[in-house]
Amino acid sequence: MIRYHARHSTVYDYGEPVTLAHHMIHLSPRQAPYQTPLSHRITVTPEPTSWNARVDVFGNAMVQFAIEQSHRRLVVEALSEVEVAPRPKPAVKAAPWENLVEVVAEAGPETIEAFAFLHDSTLIEVGDDLAAFAEPDFKPGRPVVEALLALTHRINAEFTFDPTATTVTTPVREVLADKRGVCQDFAHLMIGAVRSLGLPARYVSGYLRTRPPPGRPRLVGSDQSHAWVAVWTGAGWLECDPTNDCLAGVDHITLGWGRDYDDVAPLRGIINGGRDAELDVGVDVIALAEA
Amino acid sequence: MSLIAEPFAPDLPETPPAAPLLRSYQPLLGHVDEWFAPTGALRKPLEPVVQMISGLGAGGLAEREEAARLLLRDNGVTYNVYGDPRNAARAVELDLLPLVIDEAEWAAIEAGLIQRARLMNTLLSDLYGSQTTLKTGLIHPAIVQTNPDFLRPLVGLAPPGGIWLHAYAVDLARGPDGAWRVIGDRSRTPAGAGYALENRVVASRALPDLYRAMRVRRVAAWFDRLRQSLRLLAPRTRSPRIVLLTPGPYNETFFEHAYLARYLGFTLVEGNDLTVRRDQVFLKTLGGLEPVDVILRRVDDDFCDPLELRGDSTLGVAGLVQAARVGKVVIANALGAGLVETPALMPALPALAEHFLGETLRLPQLETHWAGDAATRARLIERCEPLSTRPAFPRAGRSSPEGRAAWAAHLRRNPYDAVGQEPLALSTVPTFEGDQVVARPVVMRCFVAATEDGFSVMPGGLVRVAPDLDRAMVRLQQSGQAKDAVVLTSGPVDEFSLLRPPDSAVEVRRQGNNLPSRVADDLYWVGRYAERAEFAIRALRALVLRLTDGAGTGAQSEIAPCAHFLRVLGELTPALAEAASNARAQFDRELVPFLTDDSRTGGVYATLRRLSGNASMVRDRLSLDMARTLRFVDAHVEELRDIAPGDHAGLLSQFDSLVMASAAMAGLGMENMTRGQAWRFMDLGRRIERALASVHLLRVLVVGGPDHAGQALDLALDIADSFMTYRARYFTYAQFAPVFDLLLLDEANPRSLAFQIRAIADHVENLPRERGAGASGSARLLIQTALAELRGADVARLSGTNRRGRHSELEALLEAIAETLPELSDLISQTYFSHALAVRPDGPTRGPLVPKVRA
C-alpha cells in the first residue's frame, strides 16, 4: 500500500477578458476497494460565484462552478492525499471470450451497469474496423483476460507515444491510421476495439506515479494526468494500461471513470470571451510512504 | 398492400342531395374510409359536411379553399420560416375536408391517451430515478443505456410536481379492423399543436356555418390549461416570466414556435437570449437581466446545455441543467423526456401498464418488433422491407441501412439499434386532388397536456395526409397536406377563446425596457439594412434612368459621369462603370448578375437578404403590414434575377417597386410602431445608416473635383430625393452652395445630414439609462458635438476654397462626422447589445481549450 500526495494545477491565461464562465471539474480521487482518499482540497481563483459539488451518474465526485467577474486568468488547483493498495489478481478463466459476449447480451442483473459501457459514447463509435483491429488477439475460444493482455501489449508495441500527434478532439480512427498518440488516444482505441467485439469497456482517468531515472531528482510538475482502460471480464473489471503495457497497480491513482474522456474530463467549461487562451497544466505525484 | 377497390358509387343519402363532387369517389379496398361505411353509406356524423359540400358546389368550395389559402399565406407572412421565398412558407397545406370523430369514439381515444401519458411520465420518473424497470427486467437495459436520448446528467433529477411531459403527442392511425392504434410517441419537443390550432382557426373561418352546424369541440381551452399549468409550476408566483425557447428561424417548425409564443403570450427567445447566473436563468434585456421562471422548449433535450449536455450545441444555455436541478426554473418538457420516444419501448408497454398502473393498456399499438434478441434481429433483417425496419435510436446519427445485407452489418455492430413495424392499411378521408376528390390515407397526431387536474387531451388534432397510396406511414416532413380533426359533442360547445379571456380584466401595460437585447440588436440592423438597400437602389436607379432616357439609348454625355460618380460612391465596380460608359452590351449583360450577387457585401441583393434575415428573427415584433411589405420586397428581389439583359424598363420598374416598398417600411415604422424601445432602435439604425450614406455622398461631391460638377450635384439631389425641393426653392440649375445647404445643413430636409444627426441625438437622449450610464454619456457627448458643429457651420464659408482650390473647411467638417458615426454605432452596440453579442463572434468556447490527458 502506498500513500500519495498529488497536486494538479490548471492555469488558463486568456487573451481577452472572460466575462462569464461555467466549468465542470473531475479532479477528486475516487473511493474504491483498492483506493482510499484521505484528504482533498480544490481552490479556484478568481473566487467562483456558485459552487455545486455532487456525485455524477458513474459515482465520481465532481464540482460545477461559475465565475461571473471578468477575469483574464483562471487557476484551478487540486490537492489530494490518497492511499492505493494492489488490485486483486485477475482470475484467468478458461472460458472463451465469446461466452462472455453472450452473457452480457442476456442482460442479467449483474450486467445492467455494464450496458452503459457497451456501445457508442460521445467520442467513441464502434465499428467493423475497430473489431478487425482487435481480432488478431481475440481468436475464437481464447480466454478473455489472456486476450486483453495481448491487445494491451500490441497497442504498446505498435503505436508510438507522441504528444504532438494528436489533440483532445482527434478521432479514434485517425489514431488507428497514424499509429501515434498519447494515453487518452490509446485508451479510446482499446475501448472502441473491445466494445466493437461486444465487451463492455470504460475509460479511467487518473495519475501515474513516475520514477525519475536512477540518480536524478524528481522534477516538480513533471507528472501528467493519465488514462487507462477497464474491461468487464465477467468477474469484475480488469484495468489495462495500453500506454505502458501493464495492468493498473499501485502506481495508478484513480480520479474517476466514465464511457470516455468526455464523461470525466478533468476540466471543461463554456466561457464568454477569452479568445486566444493559453493553458498550462502541472501534475505532481509524490509517494509519501510505502507500507 | 393498398390496392384500389373495384369502383363502386358511394351510396349517398337521398336527402341531402348527393354532392356531385363525391359521385365518383372511390374508397380503397382494404382500408376503412372515415366518411363512408363499407356498404357505401355515408356515416351519420358526416351528413352536415356533405350537405355543406352540396350547398356550396364545386365552385363555392373552391372559393372557400382559396380563402383558406389566403388566410394561411397571411399567417405565413408573419411567421414564415426565414423570409426566403424560395423556401416553402409552411410545411403543410390545409385540405378543408375534415376528419370527423364522434363523441363515443373520442371518449375511448381520450381515455387511452391520458393513460398512456400517465404511463410514460411514470416510466420517465423510474428510468431517471430508481430504475426498477431495468432491475426487474421489465425493460431491457440496452433500450436505456445505448439510447442517446438517455441523458446521464439528468439521472436523479426530479422535475417539479413530478411532471416530465407537460406536452406529449401521440400519432394514431385506424387500421382495417376499425380500431385506432398508436403508431408512435412524441415526448421530446412535440411539434404540431400550433399547426392544429392554426388549421382549426383557418378552417372554421373558411367554413363558419359548417363548424357551427356540427357542434365541434373547441381547442382553445386546452391551450389555456397548458398555459395555466405552466404558470402554476413557476417558482415565483407573482407575475412569472415564461419563455418559449426556439432553435431560431432556421428551424423547420419555427413558424409554429412564433405562432404559439404569440398565442400563449410567452416571450419567444433563442438560447443566446438567456444566461444562467447563480443557478438562476435570466433573459438579457435592454434594461438588464430579468429572471425566467418557466421555459417551454422547442430545442432538443441534448442541445439545451452545452456545459453538461452536447458540448457543440450553440442553441442552449450553459448551466441550464444545474438551474433545473436546484429547481430555479421549470423546463417543459423536462430535460431527458425524449427517452421514451423510442419505438423500442412499445413492445414493453402493455406489461409496464400492468406494473405501474395495474391497468390494461387501453389503446392498441401498431405491432412493433425491437431487436432485443437474436431471433427478432434475424426477423428484422429477413423482413426488412415489409416491416420498414429502421433504427431504434435515430439520434445516434447512424445512417439508416437499406436492404438485408446492410441491416445485417448494422446489427452486427449495433445489435439493439433496429425496430420494425407491421404494415397497416391506414384509414382514408376524401381529399382534394386538383378538382377531384380522392381517398387518401391519414394519420392523426393528438396532444396531451399536464394540467392541475391531471393529463388533458386537446379535443382535435393534426391530421396528415399521405402523399401517395404506397406510403403507409406519414411523417410531418414528407406530408404535403393537413386536415382538421373535428371532435363532435352532444353537450354545449364551449365558447372559450384565448384571444378574449372571458372574465379576467386585462392589466393595462405599456412597453418598458424589457426588450431582449438580441431583439434590439436585430431591429437596429433591420433599420440599417433597409436604409442601406434604399440608398443603393436609388443610386443605381439614377443610372438606369439615364440609360432609358429619350428613345432608350441614353446620352453618352450623361451616362459616363453618372457611372463615374457611382463608382466613386462604391455602388459600381470600376469594370462595370467603364462598361457603362464604353461597352453598353457588356454592361447590360453584367448588370443583373452584379445586382443579384449575394456575396457582394453592401450590394443590393446581399443587403436585402440580410434585411430579410434580420427581420425574420424579429417577426413577432413587426406588424402584419410591415411583414407583408418585407414579403413584397423579397418577391421583387427574386424577380431581379429574371430581368433580361438590356431590359432597362423592366429593371426600372423593379427598382421603383423596391423604392416604394422601402418607403412603405419607413412609413409603417413612423406611423404604426409604438414609440417604445423597439421602434427607437430600428429608427436609430435607419438614421445612422442614412447619416453615413449622406456623409459619404457629400464627401464624394466635395473631393470629386470640378469634372462634371454640375451633373454630380444633380445626381446627389436625385439620390437624396431632394430634386423637387431644390427646384422649388431656387428655380435654377444645381449649384454648390445651395445644394450643400439643402443636403448638409437644412434640418427641415428629412434627407439632410443635419436632420439625421438631430434625430440620432434625440434617440440617444431617450435610450435606456439602467445600463452603462457612463457609456450613454459618451454617446451623448459625441452626437451633441456633431450637432453643434453642423449648427455652427456657415454655408458661405464652407463653399469657399483654399489656395489649392480645395474646400478644406468642409472636408474637415465631413471627416469629423464620418469618424463620429461608426464610433457612436460601436458604443451603442457595446452598451446595449453586448451581453447578447458576447458569445456571438466565436460562440461558446470549448474543444482545444480542454486539457488533454497526456501521460
Side-chain angles (χ1 to χ4, degrees):
Chain A
M1 189 181 291
I2 304 183
R3 179 180 293 192
Y4 290 103
H5 181 87
R7 188 186 135 270
H8 185 160
S9 86
T10 310
V11 180
Y12 282 98
D13 280 299
Y14 301 107
E16 63 174 39
V18 172
T19 52
L20 175 66
H22 289 276
H23 293 287
M24 289 202 307
I25 51 179
H26 278 91
L27 289 170
S28 312
R30 186 172 172 139
Q31 172 76 48
Y34 44 81
Q35 176 171 298
T36 313
L38 300 171
S39 71
H40 178 61
R41 187 160 55 96
I42 297 174
T43 52
V44 175
T45 323
E47 179 90 10
T49 40
S50 67
W51 184 268
N52 297 290
R54 60 175 190 272
V55 174
D56 72 13
V57 69
F58 302 106
N60 308 307
M62 61 166 291
V63 179
Q64 181 174 344
F65 64 87
I67 300 171
E68 288 178 24
Q69 82 183 81
S70 178
H71 57 285
R72 281 176 172 275
R73 167 175 263 229
L74 171 70
V75 182
V76 178
E77 191 173 63
L79 297 168
S80 309
E81 239 181 80
V82 61
E83 227 168 45
V84 182
R87 271 90 164 157
K89 265 208 176 317
V92 182
K93 283 196 194 162
W97 67 271
E98 305 96 303
N99 291 7
L100 187 60
V101 172
E102 277 171 35
V103 170
V104 170
E106 277 162 21
E110 70 282 4
T111 55
I112 287 174
E113 193 210 343
F115 264 85
F117 306 101
L118 187 56
H119 286 277
D120 292 355
S121 54
T122 316
L123 300 172
I124 303 172
E125 195 183 336
V126 300
D128 288 346
D129 52 347
L130 291 177
F133 169 71
E135 262 151 20
D137 296 315
F138 282 77
K139 296 288 182 220
R142 197 172 191 189
V144 68
V145 171
E146 198 185 306
L148 286 170
L149 289 174
L151 180 61
T152 306
H153 174 74
R154 190 156 56 91
I155 292 175
N156 175 268
E158 288 183 8
F159 286 68
T160 308
F161 184 84
D162 181 354
T164 64
T166 56
T167 71
V168 76
T169 52
T170 304
V172 174
R173 263 78 191 174
E174 205 172 293
V175 175
L176 181 62
D178 297 348
K179 302 226 177 289
R180 295 182 163 267
V182 295
C183 61
Q184 181 183 325
D185 304 308
F186 302 153
H188 280 168
L189 173 69
M190 184 163 174
I191 292 167
V194 170
R195 284 184 192 165
S196 296
L197 296 174
L199 294 173
R202 66 193 185 196
Y203 177 100
V204 189
S205 159
Y207 306 123
L208 180 68
R209 172 198 193 181
T210 51
R211 295 161 202 267
R216 300 269 190 83
R218 220 196 120 270
L219 299 171
V220 173
S222 65
D223 299 323
Q224 296 283 5
S225 46
H226 188 46
W228 59 96
V229 179
V231 184
W232 174 252
T233 62
W237 297 81
L238 183 71
E239 294 184 52
C240 307
D241 181 346
T243 310
N244 298 297
D245 185 17
C246 64
L247 292 176
V250 287
D251 287 349
H252 290 73
I253 300 149
T254 306
L255 287 176
W257 57 70
R259 293 166 303 159
D260 57 36
Y261 170 83
D262 200 57
D263 283 336
V264 285
L267 185 148
R268 68 185 242 181
I270 301 288
I271 57 173
N272 288 9
R275 242 181 298 209
D276 304 324
E278 280 178 27
L279 169 63
D280 185 44
V281 179
V283 176
D284 287 296
V285 178
I286 296 161
L288 296 176
E290 203 153 341
Chain B
M1 171 197 65
S2 48
L3 299 167
I4 295 180
E6 289 297 310
F8 73 91
D11 178 15
L12 297 171
E14 289 309 314
T15 50
L21 265 173
L22 292 166
R23 281 245 178 267
S24 56
Y25 181 73
Q26 293 175 7
L28 303 179
L29 189 64
H31 295 249
V32 165
D33 191 88
E34 297 289 342
W35 283 27
F36 295 98
T39 59
L42 181 69
R43 295 180 195 275
K44 185 92 177 128
L46 271 303
E47 280 172 11
V49 181
V50 172
Q51 224 159 20
M52 176 272 302
I53 294 177
S54 309
L56 286 173
L61 204 54
E63 268 171 35
R64 303 302 176 95
E65 291 268 342
E66 177 64 11
R69 207 182 56 77
L70 289 177
L71 283 169
L72 288 172
R73 196 203 61 187
D74 272 0
N75 281 343
V77 168
T78 329
Y79 302 107
N80 189 10
V81 182
Y82 190 50
D84 185 351
R86 286 167 295 188
N87 209 350
R90 248 176 134 258
V92 282
E93 292 296 324
L94 178 63
D95 180 283
L96 283 180
L97 304 181
L99 170 70
V100 178
I101 300 171
D102 70 32
E103 200 168 16
E105 186 157 58
W106 181 255
I109 292 173
E110 189 174 33
L113 290 171
I114 289 173
Q115 182 202 45
R116 198 173 179 89
R118 280 166 56 219
L119 177 59
M120 291 300 199
N121 198 75
T122 311
L123 186 52
L124 280 164
S125 291
D126 181 74
L127 293 177
Y128 283 104
S130 56
Q131 297 193 334
T132 57
T133 46
L134 300 189
K135 289 169 188 153
T136 56
L138 276 164
I139 293 179
H140 193 291
I143 295 181
V144 176
Q145 297 285 14
T146 72
N147 186 343
D149 280 316
F150 177 55
L151 303 181
R152 290 178 171 79
L154 277 308
V155 170
L157 196 159
I163 299 171
W164 293 81
L165 300 173
H166 300 85
Y168 162 61
V170 180
D171 286 335
L172 295 171
R174 197 205 291 270
D177 59 355
W180 284 101
R181 69 197 68 205
V182 174
I183 61 173
D185 299 275
R186 291 288 177 272
S187 63
R188 195 179 294 118
T189 58
Y195 287 118
L197 170 67
E198 193 206 21
N199 289 343
R200 169 60 58 83
V201 169
V202 168
S204 59
R205 275 168 68 179
L207 301 170
D209 302 344
L210 174 66
Y211 276 77
R212 223 169 291 126
M214 280 202 297
R215 306 192 67 80
V216 177
R217 284 186 63 183
R218 302 294 192 89
V219 297
W222 180 83
F223 285 94
D224 189 52
R225 278 197 292 276
L226 171 64
R227 186 175 62 170
Q228 283 301 338
S229 68
L230 291 178
R231 185 169 295 165
L232 285 171
L233 284 169
R236 293 184 311 157
T237 47
R238 262 184 77 84
S239 55
R241 185 187 273 277
I242 306 180
V243 299
L244 193 150
L245 177 63
T246 171
Y250 296 94
N251 185 271
E252 59 196 351
T253 58
F254 179 69
F255 165 90
E256 193 187 21
H257 310 164
Y259 188 83
L260 277 179
R262 187 177 269 194
Y263 187 75
L264 294 168
F266 299 166
T267 312
L268 185 65
V269 303
E270 294 174 38
N272 277 346
D273 296 339
L274 302 178
T275 182
V276 173
R277 308 285 167 103
R278 289 163 208 248
D279 301 338
Q280 164 81 53
V281 182
F282 290 92
L283 175 66
K284 304 168 186 170
T285 77
L286 287 176
L289 300 177
E290 293 208 350
V292 170
D293 300 275
V294 181
I295 299 173
L296 178 59
R297 68 179 170 90
R298 297 303 288 271
V299 171
D300 286 344
D301 311 45
D302 49 347
F303 279 87
C304 280
D305 182 352
L307 183 67
E308 291 203 54
L309 304 171
R310 276 186 73 136
D312 58 353
S313 169
T314 55
L315 306 175
V317 191
L320 189 61
V321 172
Q322 180 61 20
R325 196 177 275 124
V326 299
K328 287 195 180 174
V329 69
V330 176
I331 303 174
N333 287 342
L335 294 174
L339 176 58
V340 295
E341 205 168 294
T342 174
L345 274 173
M346 286 173 72
L349 290 179
L352 288 166
E354 295 286 349
H355 174 77
F356 281 123
L357 311 175
E359 298 169 10
T360 309
L361 193 65
R362 283 167 179 265
L363 281 174
Q365 312 184 99
L366 187 56
E367 201 180 331
T368 304
H369 314 278
W370 171 62
D373 58 75
T376 310
R377 275 195 280 279
R379 199 148 24 116
L380 287 171
I381 295 167
E382 183 59 30
R383 300 187 55 217
C384 64
E385 282 300 322
L387 289 177
S388 55
T389 299
R390 61 183 201 272
F393 313 116
R395 290 170 61 79
R398 303 178 191 108
S399 58
S400 184
E402 301 252 354
R404 286 178 193 164
W407 273 110
H410 173 88
L411 283 170
R412 194 165 59 244
R413 294 305 163 213
N414 307 286
Y416 304 105
D417 187 21
V419 70
Q421 290 182 317
E422 296 291 344
L424 183 75
L426 304 174
S427 66
T428 59
V429 181
T431 303
F432 274 101
E433 200 177 84
D435 45 12
Q436 296 280 307
V437 175
V438 296
R440 281 279 171 266
V442 296
V443 299
M444 170 170 65
R445 178 168 292 185
C446 292
F447 303 93
V448 188
T451 72
E452 249 189 310
D453 319 313
F455 287 103
S456 162
V457 182
M458 181 205 289
L462 178 65
V463 175
R464 283 159 307 145
V465 182
D468 54 65
L469 298 181
D470 299 331
R471 211 79 57 94
M473 296 300 136
V474 191
R475 308 227 166 88
L476 198 53
Q477 292 89 337
Q478 60 184 218
S479 170
Q481 278 179 311
K483 286 172 177 289
D484 190 15
V486 166
V487 175
L488 301 181
T489 175
S490 56
V493 173
D494 89 78
E495 294 293 331
F496 179 84
S497 162
L498 260 197
L499 304 171
R500 280 166 281 129
D503 48 10
S504 65
V506 175
E507 190 187 337
V508 176
R509 271 190 297 209
R510 294 197 178 164
Q511 197 177 15
N513 285 336
N514 53 7
L515 190 69
S517 303
R518 193 251 324 158
V519 173
D521 189 0
D522 285 329
L523 285 167
Y524 176 77
W525 284 99
V526 165
R528 286 200 64 169
Y529 287 133
E531 184 61 28
R532 169 80 202 110
E534 186 185 331
F535 183 83
I537 293 166
R538 280 181 180 280
L540 289 159
R541 186 177 65 166
L543 175 64
V544 176
L545 205 56
R546 280 158 178 79
L547 288 171
T548 53
D549 213 18
T553 49
Q556 198 58 36
S557 61
E558 283 221 312
I559 290 161
C562 183
H564 171 78
F565 190 70
L566 260 58
R567 183 185 70 75
V568 181
L569 274 179
E571 300 297 342
L572 275 186
T573 59
L576 212 51
E578 180 64 31
S581 310
N582 302 320
R584 190 69 56 77
Q586 183 197 344
F587 176 77
D588 286 344
R589 264 198 320 278
E590 291 177 1
L591 182 59
V592 167
F594 167 80
L595 287 172
T596 54
D597 179 2
D598 200 11
S599 64
R600 199 170 54 91
T601 310
V604 171
Y605 188 82
T607 305
L608 287 170
R609 302 288 303 139
R610 284 183 194 197
L611 168 64
S612 183
N614 275 78
S616 75
M617 314 280 277
V618 290
R619 274 289 150 95
D620 57 325
R621 304 269 167 186
L622 302 179
S623 74
L624 198 66
D625 284 326
M626 201 178 275
R628 226 177 246 136
T629 310
L630 278 163
R631 178 83 152 204
F632 177 84
V633 171
D634 281 346
H636 280 276
V637 171
E638 293 308 318
E639 282 173 22
L640 280 177
R641 290 180 182 283
D642 303 328
I643 292 172
D647 179 7
H648 300 135
L651 198 52
L652 210 53
S653 128
Q654 292 297 336
F655 279 164
D656 285 342
S657 298
L658 284 167
V659 168
M660 292 306 288
S662 175
M665 279 276 293
L668 288 165
M670 289 309 286
E671 292 303 322
N672 296 12
M673 275 179 90
T674 321
R675 293 308 192 254
Q677 297 299 350
W679 170 79
R680 194 166 296 289
F681 277 91
M682 188 160 97
D683 197 59
L684 187 57
R686 183 178 278 278
R687 296 294 156 205
I688 286 183
E689 185 66 36
R690 189 177 290 179
L692 279 165
S694 300
V695 169
H696 188 49
L697 182 72
L698 294 171
R699 287 180 92 187
V700 169
L701 275 184
V702 174
V703 299
D707 284 2
H708 320 297
Q711 284 173 353
L713 291 171
D714 273 350
L715 270 171
L717 287 174
D718 194 356
I719 293 169
D721 202 15
S722 300
F723 203 84
M724 297 315 286
T725 313
Y726 186 87
R727 274 284 176 76
R729 239 178 235 184
Y730 297 105
F731 303 105
T732 176
Y733 60 91
Q735 290 182 30
F736 196 87
V739 167
F740 267 78
D741 183 59
L742 185 58
L743 298 187
L744 177 65
L745 302 177
D746 185 352
E747 284 183 36
N749 177 11
R751 295 275 163 180
S752 77
L753 182 60
F755 184 96
Q756 315 313 319
I757 298 293
R758 200 182 66 180
I760 295 167
D762 182 55
H763 286 318
V764 167
E765 278 305 309
N766 290 291
L767 288 175
R769 288 290 154 82
E770 287 88 340
R771 300 173 50 76
S776 73
S778 315
R780 200 168 339 52
L781 184 64
L782 276 175
I783 197 69
Q784 290 295 346
T785 307
L787 189 59
E789 278 176 27
L790 280 175
R791 283 182 170 161
D794 171 53
V795 72
R797 266 183 69 116
L798 290 177
S799 309
T801 55
N802 66 9
R803 270 168 300 167
R804 277 185 238 112
R806 298 186 60 147
H807 301 278
S808 49
E809 213 167 303
L810 184 54
E811 281 179 40
L813 173 66
L814 290 173
E815 193 181 326
I817 294 174
E819 278 173 12
T820 296
L821 291 168
E823 209 178 319
L824 183 70
S825 179
D826 285 352
L827 203 56
I828 288 166
S829 288
Q830 281 162 20
T831 312
Y832 296 103
F833 313 148
S834 65
H835 56 185
L837 272 177
V839 283
R840 273 199 173 178
D842 48 359
T845 323
R846 231 183 96 192
L849 272 172
V850 181
K852 171 115 182 163
V853 177
R854 286 209 171 277

